[in-house]
Amino acid sequence: MKRIVSGIVTCVLLVLSAHGLSAQDQKFVVTVYGSLLMPLGQFAEQIGTTADLTRRLGFDYGEKVGLAKTGFGGGVEVSTKVHGNHVSWILSGRFLSSPTDVSGITSKFKHDFGDSLDVSFNNGSWTNIPIFTGFKFDYDLVEGISLYGTIQGGVNVTQQATRRASVEQTVVEETNFKFMADFGFEAGVGVELLKRFNVGVRYLNLGSPRYEGTRKLNVTYFPTVPRREMSIDGDERPISMVIVVLGFQL
């Protein structure tokens, strides 16, 4: 909770400082976006080298892997000029959802259980809601076409994908995670057409949140568990991605 409060305060202070750079009242421009999300690094890995079937803690996918695959999202960005015509202060919020790829863990744990048992996974999607502020720098290429670059930072509110494992159609593990917050940043480039349409690519590094949650195990399949329901504390998963954005200025 302290990290969330600290992050929100930092974000607000950045917004206020950036807004104070403008000496005159400026027009605020609102742009809405659709996004295609492509996970990177460990966030995209299907299974970790340490993955194992643990009799006391259920299914271990491997250290820091995310199992994330291509996802989608949307967002809104508010901008205003702060220095001449080529520097803008921006404030953005996005909702990004990425489903999980369970093919790697399915293959691994089917082997561990043996071919006689049917093991399946029905995991949810990752949710990331970055609320960032920063600056946009643009350059007029020709009339009606301009190039731009952005740099932003702030708070990401995130929830790890739920986990649900079944053996012979009986649920043997169900894990749910809480929403957490961490710091992150993004950098991007793009093209603006006719001061209306916006196409760009953004790299997002959303930190390494340490997720908390609850795991329930079926005692029939995990007879040595200390208790059927247990708390998860500090499950670290780094998050990074590239998103392709298509925007429309209102």
Side-chain angles (χ1 to χ4, degrees), residues 113-185:
F113 267 95
D115 296 334
S116 60
L117 293 177
D118 180 27
V119 182
S120 62
F121 295 86
N122 184 19
N123 290 12
S125 297
W126 287 82
T127 298
N128 288 286
I129 309 173
I131 303 171
F132 287 170
T133 187
F135 294 96
K136 174 182 175 183
F137 309 89
D138 58 74
Y139 174 77
D140 294 329
L141 193 61
V142 296
E143 185 175 356
I145 301 178
S146 61
L147 305 178
Y148 71 84
T150 65
I151 183 73
Q152 298 187 70
V155 177
N156 178 48
V157 180
T158 175
Q159 185 180 45
Q160 188 176 160
T162 58
R163 304 179 184 182
R164 187 183 179 95
S166 300
V167 177
E168 298 294 310
Q169 300 184 344
T170 298
V171 177
V172 297
E173 178 185 333
E174 192 161 9
T175 302
N176 295 283
F177 294 93
K178 300 177 183 179
F179 276 99
M180 308 296 293
D182 205 349
F183 294 108
F185 70 89

Side-chain angles (χ1 to χ4, degrees), residues 1-210:
M1 182 59 70
K2 289 182 179 179
R3 295 182 71 187
I4 296 176
V5 173
S6 175
I8 292 174
V9 169
T10 301
C11 189
V12 170
L13 291 175
L14 285 171
V15 170
L16 293 176
S17 352
H19 183 62
L21 293 175
S22 179
Q24 300 177 347
D25 290 335
Q26 299 286 353
K27 177 183 177 182
F28 284 88
V29 175
V30 178
T31 305
V32 293
Y33 288 94
S35 305
L36 175 67
L37 180 165
M38 291 164 285
L40 299 175
Q42 290 175 303
F43 188 47
E45 289 183 4
Q46 292 183 11
I47 192 167
T49 55
T50 60
D52 195 15
L53 176 60
T54 63
R55 295 300 178 183
R56 291 174 59 85
L57 298 175
F59 298 89
D60 181 358
Y61 298 169
E63 186 178 2
K64 298 183 179 181
V65 300
L67 280 66
K69 60 181 181 180
T70 301
F72 301 91
V76 61
E77 182 178 279
V78 179
S79 65
T80 186
K81 299 293 185 183
V82 294
H83 189 271
N85 293 320
H86 299 290
V87 181
S88 300
W89 162 73
I90 53 179
L91 174 65
S92 66
R94 307 183 192 280
F95 179 89
L96 304 171
S97 179
S98 178
T100 49
D101 185 345
V102 297
S103 59
I105 58 174
T106 300
S107 176
K108 158 69 177 174
F109 293 118
K110 274 189 175 182
H111 178 269
D112 287 355
F113 267 95
D115 296 334
S116 60
L117 293 177
D118 180 27
V119 182
S120 62
F121 295 86
N122 184 19
N123 290 12
S125 297
W126 287 82
T127 298
N128 288 286
I129 309 173
I131 303 171
F132 287 170
T133 187
F135 294 96
K136 174 182 175 183
F137 309 89
D138 58 74
Y139 174 77
D140 294 329
L141 193 61
V142 296
E143 185 175 356
I145 301 178
S146 61
L147 305 178
Y148 71 84
T150 65
I151 183 73
Q152 298 187 70
V155 177
N156 178 48
V157 180
T158 175
Q159 185 180 45
Q160 188 176 160
T162 58
R163 304 179 184 182
R164 187 183 179 95
S166 300
V167 177
E168 298 294 310
Q169 300 184 344
T170 298
V171 177
V172 297
E173 178 185 333
E174 192 161 9
T175 302
N176 295 283
F177 294 93
K178 300 177 183 179
F179 276 99
M180 308 296 293
D182 205 349
F183 294 108
F185 70 89
E186 77 168 58
V189 294
V191 179
E192 193 173 84
L193 306 173
L194 304 175
K195 297 189 181 298
R196 182 67 66 177
F197 301 99
N198 188 311
V199 180
V201 178
R202 314 286 171 88
Y203 166 73
L204 279 72
N205 186 315
L206 302 179
S208 297
R210 299 177 64 85

